[in-house]
Amino acid sequence: MTQYSRAAFIETLAPHVLRARREGSPMLPSVRLAQNILETGCKIHDWNNLGGIKVGKGKPNAYWRGKAVNKGTWEEYNGKTVNITAAFRAYDTVYDFYMDQDLLFGRSRYARVRAAQTPEEQAAALYACGYATDSAYASKLLSIIKANDLKKYDAVEADAHAEANEHAHEHVEAVADEQEMKLSEAQKKMLVAALQSLFDQKVITDKTWIEKAQKGTLTLWELTWLNTIILARK
């Protein structure tokens, strides 16, 4: 376990947070950094769980390989604090934690978190969607964001996102006739994990989707069609 000063903690995690955002994370960098500070007290343990994700009923995936750590924590029920011991997911790297957390936020339960456009909206959505039981969770996150000027990381991400969109638009015009998706290894890995999760939940029943994603032969048209089917089944 390494205990950081708050400034060093933010400096250490910011590159990973911004990378996750660039790769499609719904989490605003300011909110994610504030959550990490709140959940860990600026400590990074060997198990790299920076957001208090419990084992739950989830199955191992490309980012969480089934390892767990039992430790004490507390929950708030009906306005009262209750001390408990719970099993928390353990990760090989901080990046794996962020990717697994993003898979969690991909569930329909967290639609408000994904739709949030501001730190205020997203902090409120995390509590409203049941990510935490602490009734002061949103206000604590916003206090940390303000005290540490974390919104500046949203601005950095927004500038990078705008530039990426501009390049992406140019790229789309240049390769409009191509169907096969060009994904980075990290994006491919996340897509495979997401499809495996859908298969495990029986939302999809054909493993060919997963195999094609693994080989990198899944086309944009196929993914669009699959998304339409998934929406129809919800």
Side-chain angles (χ1 to χ4, degrees), residues 38 119-120 122-127 134-143:
L38 179 60
E120 291 77 13
Q122 195 160 72
L126 283 168
Y127 174 70
D134 181 1
S135 57
Y137 198 73
S139 62
K140 288 177 180 178
L141 292 177
L142 294 175
S143 178

Side-chain angles (χ1 to χ4, degrees), residues 65-170:
R65 296 166 179 81
K67 293 184 291 185
V69 173
N70 291 310
K71 69 184 192 73
T73 186
W74 63 273
E75 302 288 353
E76 180 182 320
Y77 300 114
N78 299 318
K80 295 182 179 180
T81 299
V82 179
N83 294 315
I84 63 171
T85 297
F88 291 84
R89 297 189 181 194
Y91 300 93
D92 293 339
T93 67
V94 166
Y95 180 76
D96 283 346
F97 162 72
Y98 288 143
M99 294 298 97
D100 189 47
Q101 188 181 44
D102 286 346
L103 288 178
L104 175 68
F105 289 140
R107 297 179 182 176
S108 58
R109 168 182 174 179
Y110 292 103
R112 288 179 58 181
V113 173
R114 297 193 301 274
Q117 298 296 308
T118 66
E120 291 77 13
E121 290 178 358
Q122 195 160 72
L126 283 168
Y127 174 70
C129 293
Y131 187 89
T133 59
D134 181 1
S135 57
Y137 198 73
S139 62
K140 288 177 180 178
L141 292 177
L142 294 175
S143 178
I144 293 171
I145 289 171
K146 182 177 181 181
N148 297 278
D149 191 26
L150 296 182
K151 286 186 179 181
K152 66 185 179 184
Y153 293 101
D154 296 339
V156 169
E157 185 278 326
D159 290 342
H161 188 63
E163 183 178 352
N165 277 345
E166 182 178 348
H167 290 313
H169 181 68
E170 294 172 355

